[in-house]
Amino acid sequence: MTCGKMVMRLLRQYLPCLAMTLLVAIVGEPCRAQDSADVAKVIVPFVVKHCVKCHGAEKPKAGLSLHTFKDAKGILKERKLWDAALQQIESGEMPPTKQPQPTADEKAAFAKSVRAIYSKADTGKPDPGQNLIRRLTRTEFANTVRDLLQLDLDFHPEHELPTDTVTHGFENNAEALTISPVLLDRYIVAAQMVAERAIRAEFPKREVLTGTDLGPDYRGAPKEVPAAKVLETLTALAEAKPKDALVRYRLARAHAAAYGQKSGTVKVIPGKESEGVWFGFNPQHLPFEVSRIDDPAKLKAANEHLERATARYREVIRLEPENLSARLGLAWSLLHAGDKATAIAEFRATLDAAWIKEKELRPVDWKTTSIVREGTSHLTALLDKQADAKEIKALNERSEQLRKSSESSPWRHYRLLDSSGGLPEFTGPLFVDGQSRGIVREPPVLQYGNTDEFLFRVTLFAEQGSGPVRVAVFMGGPGLPEYSTAEERDQILGELKHREIQSIKILKITEVTARSIEAPQQIEIPISRRGRSGPIGILGIALIKPKNDPSPIRLHFKFEGEGPLLPVSHNHVLACSPDKSQAEQTREIIGRLLPRAFRRPVTKDEIEAVAQFADRAVANGKKWEVGMQHALMAMLCSPNFLFRAELDDRPDSAEPHPIGEFELASRLSYFLWSSLPDDELFKLAGEKKLSANLEAQVRRMLKDPRSIALVDNFALKWLRLDSLRTHQVDAKLFPNFDKDLREAMQQETQWFLHNMLREDRSLLELIDANYTFLNSRLGNHYRIADTLGNPSGAKVDKKGDPIPRDRFVRVQLQGSERGGILTSASLLMTTSPPTRTSPVKRGAWILENILGTPPPPPPPDVPELDQKETKVTTLRERLEQHRANAACAGCHSKIDPLGFAFENYDAVGVFRTKEANKNIDVSGTLPDGRKINGMVDLKKALLADKEKFARHVTEKMLTYALGRGVEYYDKRAIDRIVSEVAKDDFKFSRMVIAIVQSEPFRLRRGKDQAQ
Amino acid sequence: MSQHLSRRTVLRGIGAGLALPWLEAMGPLESWVHANDRTPAAPNRLLWLYVPNGMAMPNWTPGEEGPLRDLPPILQEVREFTDNINVLSGLNSLSAERGGGGDHARAIATYLTGVTPLDTTGPNYRAGVSADQAAASRIGDQTRLASLEVGTEENTGFCDFGYHCVYKGTLSWRSPTQPMIKEVRPRLVFDRLFGDNVANRAEHDALRRSILDYVREDSRTLASRLGTEDRRRMDDYLTAIRDIEQRIARAASFPRVERPELAIEPGIPRDFQEHCRLLCDLIVLAFRSDITRIGTFLLTNELSDRAFPEHGIRRGHHGITHDGARAYDELTVVNRFHLRQLVYLLERLKSVREGTGTLLDHCLVCYGSALSDGNGHSKRNLPILLAGNAGGTVRTGRHIRYPAGTPLNNLWLSMLERVDVRVPFLGDSTGSLRGL
């Protein structure tokens, strides 16, 4: 036996600390008499006699030197190490059997002395450690300005800031949060961006947008531009950004236009340039209309040109005579599906009147719709309401043909939904007739892009028999802050199963009193970006179920948007009393904002200093709004904002004393929200009632959506799942893996963890749970079909609801394949190399992140597993070979069995029972002799020592909550937290509450007592 | 034809509009190359390009000393530049040999500093002053930016055993406790080089100055209410304020640099090579407009386990190195791919005319790794390539072998001399390197 396994395991973790201990030992300090006597009389002689031969100064085994410990403090600082040593000595594991053994008395005296040091430390006065002034992290900066100024969630000032360094596992470590000139420079830039975003110096011109124009391209009128000019511009653009799909299609259209347009001009619909990388295919972004190319020679030339232009892309776009004819080729193709098809190809584009006439289409205005749908990007066509089932079938067949014939083309997954089965979408025409029975069965929906704030206006009137007509205006989309419940949605008339209607928020329910087209009624709702993290999917209107009134209702309506409006932040920040003078208004606003920005009451002088910026700008002839931007910028650059400083009337006192109420509010809010205290916390702190109400406040804060910060900045970092974003997966071996799946994996984990906070679940559910959150993409990956967790394709007694595509829903899990973090795809993937699984990585992950005992590094010169040269085939056999080497066995006997238990999950987390046509063996023996066979047993084994797990989570969370590494003097607080958590069924909230009530969280002191 | 040609064309077009400020406005510069020359002389620039995890050494080291002939497989990539480079063998980073595990972190932290870093995972990380920062602290005030630090990977993910995450992703250390955190997002690099896009510079600077004034006052008031420890930490902030003020003042004395009309998308380019090349372009722009003369570029972080499926390398880079000689073929593909990024940079430097030659003639670009054999984590006989001749002060086209034990830091001393920075020693250096 070379060295103690336990010691070896602890070695790496504590080596740095050992180095520090050495320093302390050299510098020295007066020790208390009793301690030093025991250490000198009992502990040191024991160590000298039995340990230092191997663990001394010269080439210490396992790098562990015990000769440096000369006093009680040194031992306390390395308490974990000494715990391990004590355990090994008492169990007889150390000294090794071939060495002289201590007597039982020697051992007992040694153990007693060490424990005496412990117990003395545990009953002394508490040491909360030091809470250093710290800069806001980039994440905290962004959250704080968003909450302070009510900026929208899509605004990311943190992108202007460099990433913060991870220390002790997290980015919020106080000692690391210093500031350098480069950094301060970036914070000033970010402050300016924020100020200009929050306050508008120029007021936008409001425009009314009618249904057909809504979307990002709405601003400005279409204009004619020479095709050659467009071609030139776009070629340059496309070559500058060869990866940009948008540019690619624009290029394609431009080429087509150049060769197809007889007039030599192209109609350009002005719009916003798409920023960043653009996926999918969205007709809203196609700014060109292209005429039909009838001349075969020209078509050929266009195709050749296109082929050259697009040769570098994987997909070569081919033009067919038909698919040039409308703004979107597919629609035209669909038109040719059947002789009687009366569909029109209308994609927010104008069709020329002659063509409409030729096809005998009715004017665009009054029409019901059916839709063509594409997998991800809402490709929508309008069909005349006359389109009957037969026609729809024909169109579907045509669509299917198209799909098959061009697998790589952008229109891959079109499916027409007929009006009885699905939800038709309303995309352009302004009024919608009722159905023949006089009831709008499905709410028409307006597609809307993600633009600025705007006013959504519905103009409507009803025709009906009797009783009041009520309507609901709603919004839908993947990134809404909240969704209406099933009960709320149940008020809506018609089919509710459709997934798009499952993910909506009802904005308003109102009665329609207007009864004629001459005197319609208007509903106006401001649509803000605030609180939303993604684009609006849909806006729509629906009939509310009439009460006891079977008579038909006929509703006519049209949609308009008006915008952009001034952002919410502008109105929020500049709200003030209108009758005051400008200078007074300035001071009123700053007097309101500054205490919140500084997270404490402020002085008159402080307000005045900031107000000067506005005054000076106005004096220099600038608009007042510009002055307020400057004032805001100054406020955000102030160290009182940029740093979290804890004001204290005796900052240098080494005596632990409670922190102030405002300081407590900040510690709380930055711990749970990574943001500033909200109104309620601020008010409670002002009334000095916060410390008396900690538990209630924590519970409230955990339920608040802002607690997602604790998931992102604490939990994902702790579990190392933040590497998901950049994790590489081999595309050949895992062709199904793509960015949507990656995103879904991340979201599942976020949903699961956030739910743990908000519903206050047990921490043990991290290891095993009987529910999770899925969208349909990840559901397919897990082969789970519905919300009851039924397996895909299986015959089942009770079916759950379908899992929506664009939203995560809670799914009950059946069986034991999934549940908890260990079996989540995000973990299974991030612990795998690109091409295969790694039991070693997974085993090491468990040791480090669940058990808190990271393995030491592998020694150099050990080859990785080779796939080619060995005769053995399975990974297990290869690892067994590896373990045959004694140098490896010490650690790998601990790591590998844990890792093998994961082998039923491949490198992207798909469940499997065979690898290379062999049954996978998931059995193993844990170091303590327990045999486990696969994930179920592993979870059981981990759950057998709940407190050990809780202790590890506590240490991690305390590190995050305090923004400093856990120290030896925190042990008492940790013990107490763990025991409280255990008493309360390991509830998540209890851990947070126990932490915020602990001494390190509520007390502070000046310079290190221990120095 | 390369699909990147067009973007380069765009950049070149932009670059053409940039004045070469030292030629037009600054008059003769005191450059140690042409101190007595009557023609305005271009200054020398130093750049370090770093690759992690060592090299497939048998495929790197040329067979014999002297003129570069019969290039081994990896160096085949730079054959076009044989006349512009030297391959240096036998240099060592001996200070990285002290200590247990965590070889990768220790190696890179020692690479430019010659100082054994403190093995800590805590915030008390400590290395030495790096060669580039030694130069920046002395000649940095002659340019708008003292130095530029870029890379492609942030300091996240798996960090080496026993060492803080900052080590594996940092080449530059301003002081032993101040790592220069590199920027990985090209747009932020661009913003740093060319400043914010402001219409009225004077007004913009005035606003900044007044904000800095306010902030300084505020800091003093705040500091007076803090404890000793916190007050000390606030000093950093005051230093930063002063630093920016000085920079604003200094910038006013430099000739104006036009901000290129270049739209760089925010975030990180999805294509890795594209990312590398964009950063190379920005370095070249910075050098040619004399925004800075010192740069470091971590092609990827030390310990990087990036796979290169587009080149048939489906396993991670770090993993491959630990297969030792058996995986040299795979490793060579990675090494060659990395070296192609250097070739791209050299092409760009060579394309810029400067004085009677090209920009490359006034550069010293050091390409290398802090490990030689990645499997054994060897810090001896490191793979080092030096491109450019620093205004004719380096004889190129050779393979030079140094005696066993020669510190790598001796090379840094010699590079510093080429920008007129003379320091008695740096880290574990024993004197400048002979025979260049």
Side-chain angles (χ1 to χ4, degrees), chain A residues 690-759:
Chain A
L690 180 56
S691 42
N693 287 292
L694 270 183
E695 176 158 347
Q697 285 303 309
V698 168
R699 291 191 186 283
R700 174 183 75 87
M701 291 173 75
L702 286 176
K703 288 200 164 45
D704 187 285
R706 279 171 281 192
S707 62
I708 188 75
L710 193 57
V711 171
D712 291 345
N713 306 327
F714 164 67
L716 293 184
K717 288 251 155 44
W718 156 42
L719 297 168
R720 303 232 172 179
L721 293 174
D722 53 336
S723 63
L724 189 76
R725 215 165 23 98
T726 51
H727 185 79
Q728 283 182 307
V729 172
D730 192 276
K732 279 195 189 126
L733 289 174
F734 302 101
N736 288 329
F737 183 81
D738 61 13
K739 76 169 182 53
D740 289 344
L741 188 56
R742 184 196 298 272
E743 172 69 22
M745 289 176 179
Q746 170 144 356
Q747 285 217 27
E748 179 201 12
T749 306
Q750 282 174 319
W751 273 88
F752 181 78
L753 292 168
H754 202 200
N755 180 72
M756 175 167 285
L757 271 64
R758 296 179 80 169
E759 286 190 5

Side-chain angles (χ1 to χ4, degrees), chain A residues 12 15-16 19-20 130-135 138 158-163 165-168 171 173-182 184-186 188-189 192 236 239-244 275-277 279 312 594 598 600 606 609-610 613 616 622 630 633-635 637-640 642-643 645-648 651-652 720 722-723 725 728-733 834-835 841 855-869 1004 1007, chain B residues 2-4 6-7 10 100-103 118-125 149 154-166 174 178 180-183 185 187-188 191-192 196 198 203-204 207-208 210-212 214-216 218-219 221-222 225-231 233-234 236-241 243-244 247 263 265-266 270-271 274 305-310 312-316 318-320 322-324 326-327 330 373 375-377:
Chain A
R12 276 315 318 167
L15 198 61
M20 289 192 309
Q130 253 193 311
N131 189 288
L132 294 172
I133 187 171
R134 66 200 67 181
R135 169 173 59 77
R138 65 202 279 262
E158 67 270 30
H159 290 171
E160 296 301 313
L161 301 171
T163 37
T165 311
V166 173
T167 298
H168 290 309
E171 287 174 351
N173 184 277
E175 271 192 80
L177 288 170
T178 53
I179 202 154
S180 66
V182 173
L184 179 58
D185 215 24
R186 296 313 305 177
I188 296 175
V189 170
Q192 184 164 8
E239 293 193 347
K241 298 189 204 172
K243 300 259 158 180
D244 190 325
E275 282 175 354
V277 183
F279 298 96
R312 70 186 58 160
L594 202 61
F598 290 4
R600 58 168 171 81
E606 283 176 319
V610 175
F613 280 87
R616 204 175 310 145
K622 301 263 179 217
H630 292 178
M633 196 176 151
M635 195 187 291
C637 292
S638 163
N640 288 293
L642 216 48
F643 285 82
E646 293 192 338
L647 296 183
D648 185 348
D652 278 332
R720 303 232 172 179
D722 53 336
S723 63
R725 215 165 23 98
Q728 283 182 307
V729 172
D730 192 276
K732 279 195 189 126
L733 289 174
T835 54
K841 279 193 179 182
D861 272 329
V862 178
E864 277 223 340
L865 301 171
D866 188 77
Q867 313 227 9
K868 285 171 262 172
E869 292 179 19
R1004 60 175 282 123
K1007 72 171 193 282
Chain B
S2 160
Q3 60 171 312
H4 304 286
S6 42
R7 188 179 49 72
V10 173
D103 288 272
L118 181 64
D119 50 346
T120 175
T121 55
N124 56 330
Y125 43 76
E149 297 78 29
E154 288 182 345
N155 292 356
T156 52
F158 180 77
C159 302
D160 210 355
F161 292 96
Y163 285 88
H164 194 282
C165 290
V166 77
R174 190 179 194 187
Q178 272 183 290
M180 300 293 284
I181 304 297
K182 64 187 186 299
E183 184 51 68
R185 289 162 290 183
R187 218 207 47 203
L188 289 198
D191 285 349
R192 238 193 116 197
D196 314 305
V198 287
E203 203 171 80
H204 178 80
L207 174 61
R208 284 211 166 186
S210 68
I211 283 180
L212 290 168
Y214 157 74
V215 160
R216 187 179 33 247
D218 224 21
S219 308
T221 322
L222 176 62
R225 301 172 73 181
L226 296 175
T228 323
E229 192 82 8
D230 284 350
R231 223 162 30 232
R233 288 166 66 84
M234 282 303 293
D236 281 351
Y237 185 62
L238 288 165
T239 312
I241 293 169
D243 199 280
I244 296 178
R247 190 140 39 84
E265 305 196 349
R270 275 187 305 157
D271 184 282
E274 188 77 353
D305 208 22
R306 174 179 285 279
F308 298 87
E310 64 277 22
I313 303 301
R314 293 155 72 188
R315 294 195 292 154
H318 174 241
I320 290 170
H322 283 293
D323 270 1
R326 284 178 301 165
E330 273 178 279
D373 167 35
N375 191 21
H377 296 152

Side-chain angles (χ1 to χ4, degrees), chain A residues 236-257:
Chain A
L237 190 60
E239 293 193 347
K241 298 189 204 172
K243 300 259 158 180
D244 190 325
L246 167 63
V247 170
R248 184 174 68 189
Y249 286 109
R250 286 185 173 175
L251 179 68
R253 299 285 149 193
H255 279 292

